[in-house]
Amino acid sequence: MDTKEFIEIMDSGAEVIARGEVHRYMTLLSNEAMKITAELNNAYHTPEEIGALMEKLTDREFPEGAYMFPPFYTDCGKNIKLGKNVFINAGCQFQDQGGITIGDDTLIGPKTVIATLNHHQNPKERANLIPKPVKIGNSVWIGANVTILPGVTIGDGAIIAAGAVVNKDVKANTIVGGVPAKKIKEVELEE
């Protein structure tokens, strides 16, 4: 198995059987991600060095205008797709095996958790994993300490209040908050 094949399987949403070939490859990628994030998180780096480490972590070009404040944590890295001018604040954790896509001009608050894996509900199969992607649109603002759960899509221009747990889709230009996150109001757009 190679990384391309692994990503295709994860993007398909197919259940990952514990200790199977896909699961073993996932562990290999996790170990690689731990090595790269340890380098990223345990010394000062210039913005250019951060970009280079993120390219190594994701196997993708670090987009124009994107920036991050380490520390940053992931247990994969290869299924993160960032848009231009994305900002990722300190202490974020991306569980990206199921796929994380973040649109242009989006701001991610500190200590945000984005999860893309669930475990099987049946206790006899509990170690199996079910991937579901998280898609975040353009110009989204995610506050501090937000948790976004597998399968969630957040529309363009939405705002996620600090501390929210987002377990369902958020419409464009909507403000949500709470546990679980609920609509507060519409974003006030200038004419």
Side-chain angles (χ1 to χ4, degrees):
M1 173 168 293
D2 63 14
T3 302
K4 182 179 181 207
E5 183 181 0
F6 171 79
I7 297 299
E8 288 172 359
I9 292 167
M10 299 308 286
D11 287 349
S12 78
E15 186 171 337
V16 176
I17 306 304
R19 295 169 291 288
E21 180 185 13
V22 176
H23 194 256
R24 287 191 302 273
Y25 195 80
M26 184 184 298
T27 301
L28 178 87
L29 291 177
S30 293
N31 287 323
E32 181 182 324
M34 285 188 282
K35 181 178 178 183
I36 297 167
T37 56
E39 184 179 351
L40 175 68
N41 296 334
N42 290 305
Y44 170 77
H45 297 285
T46 66
E48 296 76 22
E49 291 168 337
I50 290 170
L53 286 165
M54 287 300 291
E55 288 179 356
K56 186 175 176 184
L57 180 66
T58 64
D59 282 342
R60 288 178 167 74
E61 184 177 328
F62 198 58
E64 176 187 330
Y67 193 64
M68 128 182 328
F69 288 164
F72 174 77
Y73 305 97
T74 182
D75 51 5
C76 183
K78 303 303 184 206
N79 212 359
I80 298 172
K81 300 169 193 86
L82 302 175
K84 294 177 186 173
N85 303 312
V86 167
F87 173 67
I88 301 170
N89 214 322
C92 291
Q93 182 160 353
F94 290 8
Q95 180 196 53
D96 64 285
Q97 289 91 335
I100 296 173
T101 303
I102 301 172
D104 295 343
D105 303 305
T106 288
L107 308 173
I108 310 287
K111 298 184 181 177
T112 292
V113 173
I114 302 175
T116 66
L117 295 176
N118 274 321
H119 288 277
H120 202 288
Q121 289 187 11
N122 181 338
K124 293 180 181 179
E125 299 175 16
R126 185 68 42 85
N128 292 358
L129 299 166
I130 302 163
K132 291 185 181 178
V134 169
K135 297 176 183 171
I136 300 170
N138 298 318
S139 301
V140 172
W141 175 18
I142 297 172
N145 292 302
V146 167
T147 299
I148 302 170
L149 297 178
V152 166
T153 296
I154 299 174
D156 293 346
I159 298 173
I160 313 301
V165 175
V166 185
N167 65 349
K168 60 184 177 183
D169 291 353
V170 177
K171 292 182 180 178
N173 299 312
T174 301
I175 301 172
V176 301
V179 180
K182 294 186 179 356
K183 181 178 176 179
I184 296 171
K185 66 179 184 175
E186 299 291 319
V187 173
E188 295 176 20
L189 299 172
E190 293 182 14
E191 300 294 321

